[in-house]
């Protein structure tokens, strides 16, 4: 038996490999330094982006609260008989005192919903009457100063342009408050909140040693108390460092809508400088150890380099689809351990790929559930408001029916955890929704539901019909003329399809919106409008895998019409 040795390249002495190793180590040192520097920059950018997302999330919630409070005060001034009674009667009369008590109860409930930090006041200019209409949490001196300022603002003929629907900071006894004044003739409702209370939730975020969170006005003046004054001073007087990226700060400024102030968040990243120095020390230490190892390699050439080369050649023959690797036995314990660890790593990589695939499927399922379960909170609030109005008019029978319908409505939503439900159950849910709306609009519309007898067991995604029914109620129903809403279901379609038609007698789709719907273009979902319709179209596309269709048109006699074509049997992969 002959031993044949194949030489695949020119041999080199050990010194050559040592020199190559030094060059590689130096290159790795530079690359590691650059990668570390770039990583710190990326982390800094991500941290700044996270701060902006946090600020935007908080600001969106406050904007929603501001808008609702402003709308509520404006509606109360213009439509509430309580304030009308107070304005028409003497301040010491029984009618005035009773109305004042009712107004106090109403705004106390509003304060309970949005927090004790919100203060509410009423000012009747003709009577020179100024009083809080909710529990007061500010000091009496601040109350008197606020009263003086509000009265002075009411004398300004431009008070409507300056304060209505615009939350403005005012200085009261060396402390800033955010105020909104809603005028209506000579009546004024005022909402007030301390700037410190408004920014307090964001100040709980860790912004670093010298970070700060504050409210600033349009001139950049701080109108809230910083987390700690000494930290803000240290931020302004910090000396520059050669590691400019490591210690630099990230500043995020986000404005409130309908307000003359904004949130300013400043974070410090001084810890990155220490990380970079530690990284450099570790790299230099590794370089020194590598030089020592290179010297030792001159002696271990035969016992170390060759087994390593054999190990490397084995690794070079591996790919993802290859069979199990055959590592030859070696007298070096480290190589044996590396072989076992590498085999274990291959198994982990394969399991990781499976886990990533499963996570992607789970992500898609969660996205479907998210789009399916979006609920408009205004509907629930409107139901409660309607029952409250019925209670005031002692309509107890109507309250019972309204409460039962509302309970059935939300039970259907919250107990439904499937991707598909029976069409009969969905239609019954729509019927309950329309009954609730008829209670609210005082029979301002009529509806008619018809379906073929064999369509009751057809499977359909939940809340699909309600989305388009809601759109019909929103745009077709008015208190001028009685509207008609029709829902019909027919199975007389070829290719085992069902047809669902929803129509109304309203003004129909606007031409620009109808054009976008016909061409499949995304609608403008700004401020949450039309997001339900967009989500429903996406759900049908995902759940039926392109087998369902939705078409939109305006009827010749007036009104909008939506036609939904779905398979009688849903896809096998779902439910």
């Amino acid at each position: 038996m002959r031993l044949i040795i194949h030489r695949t390249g020119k041999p080199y002495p050990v010194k050559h490999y040592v020199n190559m190793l030094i060059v590689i180590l130096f290159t790795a040192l530079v690359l590691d330094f650059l990668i570390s520097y770039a990583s710190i920059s990326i982390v800094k950018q991500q941290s700044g982006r996270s701060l902006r997302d946090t600020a935007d999330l908080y600001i969106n919630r406050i904007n929603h609260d501001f808008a609702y409070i402003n709308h509520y005060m404006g509606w109360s001034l213009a439509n509430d008989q309580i304030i009308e009674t107070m304005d028409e009667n003497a301040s010491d009369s029984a009618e005035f005192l009773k109305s004042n008590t009712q107004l106090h109860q109403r705004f106390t409930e509003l304060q309970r919903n949005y927090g004790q930090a919100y203060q509410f006041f009423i000012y009747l200019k003709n009577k020179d009457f100024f009083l809080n209409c909710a529990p007061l949490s500010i000091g009496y001196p601040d109350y008197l100063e606020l009263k003086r300022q509000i009265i002075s603002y009411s004398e300004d003929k431009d008070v409507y342009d300056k304060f209505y629907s615009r939350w403005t900071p005012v200085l009261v006894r060396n402390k800033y408050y955010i105020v909104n004044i809603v005028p209506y003739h000579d009546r004024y409702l005022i909402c007030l909140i301390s700037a410190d209370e408004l920014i307090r939730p964001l100040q709980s975020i860790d912004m670093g040693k010298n970070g700060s969170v504050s409210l600033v006005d349009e001139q950049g003046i701080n109108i809230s108390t910083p987390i700690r004054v000494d930290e803000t001073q240290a931020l302004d007087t910090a000396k520059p460092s050669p590691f400019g990226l490591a210690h630099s700060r990230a500043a995020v400024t986000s404005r409130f809508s309908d307000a003359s102030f904004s949130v300013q968040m400043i974070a410090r990243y001084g810890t990155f400088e220490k990380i970079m120095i530690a990284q450099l020390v570790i790299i230099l230490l590794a370089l020194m150890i590598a030089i020592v190892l290179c010297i030792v390699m001159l002696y271990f050439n035969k016992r170390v380099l060759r087994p390593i080369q054999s190990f490397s050649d084995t690794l070079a023959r591996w790919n993802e689809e290859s069979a199990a690797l055959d590592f030859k036995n070696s007298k070096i314990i480290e190589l044996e351990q590396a072989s076992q660890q590498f085999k274990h790593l291959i198994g982990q990589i394969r399991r990781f790929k499976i886990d990533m695939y499963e996570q992607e499927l789970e992500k898609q399922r969660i996205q479907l559930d998210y789009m399916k379960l979006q609920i408009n909170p205004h509907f629930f609030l409107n139901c409660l408001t309607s029952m409250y109005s019925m209670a005031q008019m002692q309509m107890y029978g109507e309250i019972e029916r309204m409460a039962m319908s509302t309970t059935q409505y939300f039970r259907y939503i919250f107990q439904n955890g499937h991707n598909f439900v029976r069409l009969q159950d969905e239609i019954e849910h729509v019927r309950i929704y329309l009954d609730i709306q008829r209670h609210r609009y005082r029979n301002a519309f009529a509806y008619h539901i018809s379906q073929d007898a064999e369509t009751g067991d057809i499977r359909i995604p939940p809340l699909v019909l309600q989305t388009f029914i809601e759109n019909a109620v929103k745009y077709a129903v008015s208190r001028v003329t009685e509207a008609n809403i029709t829902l019909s279901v027919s199975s007389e379609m070829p290719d085992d399809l069902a047809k669902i038609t929803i129509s109304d007698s309203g003004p129909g789709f606007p031409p620009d919106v109808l054009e976008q719907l016909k061409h499949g273009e995304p609608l403008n979902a700004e401020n949450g409008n039309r997001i339900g319709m967009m989500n429903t179209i996406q759900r049908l596309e995902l759940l039926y895998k392109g087998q369902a269709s939705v078409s939109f048109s305006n009827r010749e006699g007036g009104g909008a019409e939506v036609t939904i074509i779905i398979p009688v049997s849903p896809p096998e992969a779902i439910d």
Side-chain angles (χ1 to χ4, degrees):
M1 179 179 179
R2 294 188 302 170
L3 178 63
I4 301 176
I5 300 177
H6 298 278
R7 297 187 180 275
T8 58
K10 179 180 178 181
Y12 293 96
V14 176
K15 182 178 179 181
H16 173 78
Y17 292 102
V18 172
N19 292 335
M20 289 182 58
L21 182 60
I22 293 175
V23 173
I24 293 173
L25 289 174
F26 179 78
T27 304
L29 172 66
V30 175
L31 290 176
D32 186 72
F33 180 83
L34 295 176
I35 292 173
S36 300
Y37 198 82
S39 300
I40 293 173
S41 176
I42 293 173
V43 171
K44 175 178 174 294
Q45 294 175 2
Q46 292 177 344
S47 299
R49 190 179 302 113
S50 176
L51 288 178
R52 181 171 296 279
D53 292 342
T54 301
D56 290 343
L57 184 65
Y58 178 73
I59 287 175
N60 288 338
R61 185 179 70 84
I62 296 300
N63 285 337
H64 177 271
D65 293 349
F66 281 177
Y68 182 83
I69 291 173
N70 184 77
H71 174 75
Y72 187 84
M73 293 194 300
W75 181 90
S76 298
L77 283 174
N79 302 284
D80 200 333
Q81 188 63 34
I82 294 175
I83 298 177
E84 183 74 22
T85 302
M86 293 177 64
D87 198 27
E88 292 176 352
N89 293 274
S91 58
D92 56 352
S93 65
E95 292 82 358
F96 183 94
L97 296 178
K98 180 180 179 181
S99 297
N100 185 37
T101 301
Q102 293 175 345
L103 183 67
H104 192 276
Q105 292 175 349
R106 181 170 299 179
F107 276 89
T108 298
E109 181 67 23
L110 181 65
Q111 185 187 64
R112 188 178 297 114
N113 292 333
Y114 286 92
Q116 297 296 324
Y118 287 93
Q119 312 292 308
F120 297 95
F121 305 88
I122 183 171
Y123 175 54
L124 303 178
K125 187 175 181 181
N126 291 336
K127 299 181 179 300
D128 193 24
F129 177 81
F130 184 90
L131 189 65
N132 59 297
C133 48
L136 198 62
S137 62
I138 63 175
Y140 188 68
D142 290 348
Y143 170 80
L144 294 178
E145 174 61 19
L146 174 66
K147 175 181 178 181
R148 185 192 64 79
Q149 291 193 26
I150 295 300
I151 294 175
S152 66
Y153 293 149
S154 66
E155 301 297 333
D156 189 349
K157 62 180 181 180
D158 296 328
V159 62
Y160 187 90
D161 297 331
K162 292 181 179 179
F163 290 97
Y164 181 64
S165 295
R166 181 173 176 84
W167 294 76
T168 306
V170 295
L171 185 62
V172 178
R173 292 177 54 85
N174 298 324
K175 183 177 181 180
Y176 278 97
Y177 291 88
I178 309 302
V179 64
N180 181 28
I181 303 175
V182 180
Y184 185 76
H185 300 298
D186 289 331
R187 311 168 191 167
Y188 301 85
L189 277 176
I190 302 98
C191 180
L192 180 80
I193 183 173
S194 169
D196 291 340
E197 291 294 335
L198 186 63
I199 197 63
R200 192 176 304 280
L202 288 182
Q203 289 183 336
S204 61
I205 302 175
D206 184 9
M207 307 299 293
K209 181 180 179 182
N210 294 325
S212 65
V213 179
S214 59
L215 291 177
V216 296
D217 60 12
E218 294 177 334
Q219 288 74 36
I221 299 175
N222 191 353
I223 62 174
S224 64
T225 305
I227 300 175
R228 287 200 302 270
V229 176
D230 57 336
E231 291 183 356
T232 305
Q233 294 174 349
L235 178 65
D236 296 334
T237 59
K239 296 180 179 180
S241 168
F243 300 95
L245 176 66
H247 92 284
S248 60
R249 66 181 184 176
V252 173
T253 301
S254 299
R255 289 188 57 85
F256 292 87
S257 61
D258 299 329
S260 59
F261 57 92
S262 58
V263 172
Q264 185 179 74
M265 305 176 68
I266 300 177
R268 291 280 300 178
Y269 299 97
T271 54
F272 291 152
E273 182 177 0
K274 298 178 181 178
I275 295 175
M276 202 166 196
I277 295 175
Q279 182 80 7
L280 182 59
V281 172
I282 293 173
I283 294 174
L284 293 176
L285 182 61
L287 181 60
M288 294 176 60
I289 295 175
I291 293 175
V292 175
L293 289 177
C294 289
I295 297 174
V296 176
M297 284 176 59
L298 295 174
Y299 177 77
F300 288 98
N301 175 39
K302 181 178 181 180
R303 294 185 177 271
V304 176
L305 293 182
R306 290 183 181 179
I308 290 177
Q309 183 63 45
S310 175
F311 178 78
S312 177
D313 293 339
T314 304
L315 295 182
R317 294 192 297 269
W318 174 82
N319 57 65
E320 292 184 353
E321 303 298 332
S322 64
L325 298 178
D326 183 18
F327 290 96
K328 297 181 179 179
N329 293 331
S330 174
K331 296 182 180 180
I332 303 176
I333 297 178
E334 288 77 8
L335 280 182
E336 289 292 326
Q337 294 177 347
S339 300
Q340 296 300 323
Q341 292 175 358
F342 188 79
K343 293 179 181 178
H344 180 65
L345 178 62
I346 293 175
Q348 287 183 328
I349 291 175
R350 289 170 178 168
R351 288 194 298 271
F352 179 76
K353 291 176 63 178
I354 296 175
D355 292 341
M356 289 292 293
Y357 178 74
E358 293 177 349
Q359 290 176 5
E360 185 63 23
L361 294 179
E362 180 68 9
K363 179 181 178 182
Q364 294 179 3
R365 187 191 68 79
I366 292 174
Q367 178 67 16
L368 289 176
D369 291 343
Y370 170 77
M371 292 189 295
K372 180 176 65 178
L373 296 178
Q374 288 194 34
I375 303 173
N376 186 354
H378 295 293
F379 179 75
F380 179 68
L381 296 177
N382 290 336
C383 291
L384 295 179
T385 303
S386 297
M387 286 188 283
Y388 177 80
S389 300
M390 294 176 187
Q392 287 182 320
M393 294 183 288
Q394 300 182 356
M395 301 170 61
Y396 302 119
E398 294 291 332
I399 292 175
E400 291 179 357
R401 289 189 290 273
M402 185 71 172
M404 180 57 65
S405 298
T406 304
T407 301
Q408 293 174 344
Y409 175 87
F410 283 100
R411 181 181 291 117
Y412 178 85
I413 291 178
F414 293 125
Q415 290 184 353
N416 181 17
H418 302 286
N419 288 325
F420 289 90
V421 297
R422 292 176 65 249
L423 179 59
Q424 187 63 43
D425 295 338
E426 182 72 0
I427 291 177
E428 184 61 25
H429 176 68
V430 169
R431 194 188 308 276
I432 293 173
Y433 170 79
L434 290 172
D435 288 338
I436 293 174
Q437 294 292 26
R438 280 172 59 85
H439 283 299
R440 289 189 57 225
Y441 289 99
R442 301 296 181 192
N443 300 324
F445 70 95
Y447 69 88
H448 176 71
I449 298 177
S450 64
Q451 64 178 125
D452 293 345
E454 64 274 17
T455 60
D457 292 328
I458 293 177
R459 310 288 283 177
I460 186 172
L463 307 181
V464 166
L465 300 184
Q466 180 187 327
T467 300
F468 299 104
I469 291 292
E470 282 182 353
N471 189 73
V473 172
K474 180 177 181 181
Y475 294 101
V477 176
S478 68
R479 301 192 184 273
V480 179
T481 59
E482 183 181 23
N484 291 297
I485 299 176
T486 303
L487 169 62
S488 63
V489 183
S490 172
S491 60
E492 298 179 359
M493 293 283 294
D495 301 326
D496 201 20
L497 298 175
K499 178 181 179 181
I500 303 173
T501 303
I502 301 170
S503 61
D504 59 66
S505 60
F509 294 108
D512 55 336
V513 174
L514 183 60
E515 190 70 18
Q516 288 179 289
L517 291 172
K518 287 184 175 181
H519 290 83
E521 298 176 358
L523 298 178
N524 180 16
E526 185 179 0
N527 298 325
N529 293 330
R530 307 190 183 97
I531 189 172
M533 188 179 298
M534 297 293 294
N535 282 350
T536 300
I537 296 174
Q538 293 176 7
R539 285 180 59 205
L540 291 174
E541 178 69 21
L542 291 173
L543 291 173
Y544 285 101
K545 301 178 181 179
Q547 299 180 18
S549 64
V550 182
S551 60
F552 304 86
S553 63
N554 285 332
R555 304 167 60 191
E556 293 182 0
E561 184 174 281
V562 180
T563 303
I564 306 173
I565 306 296
I566 60 172
V568 173
S569 301
E572 297 180 356
I574 302 179
D575 269 9

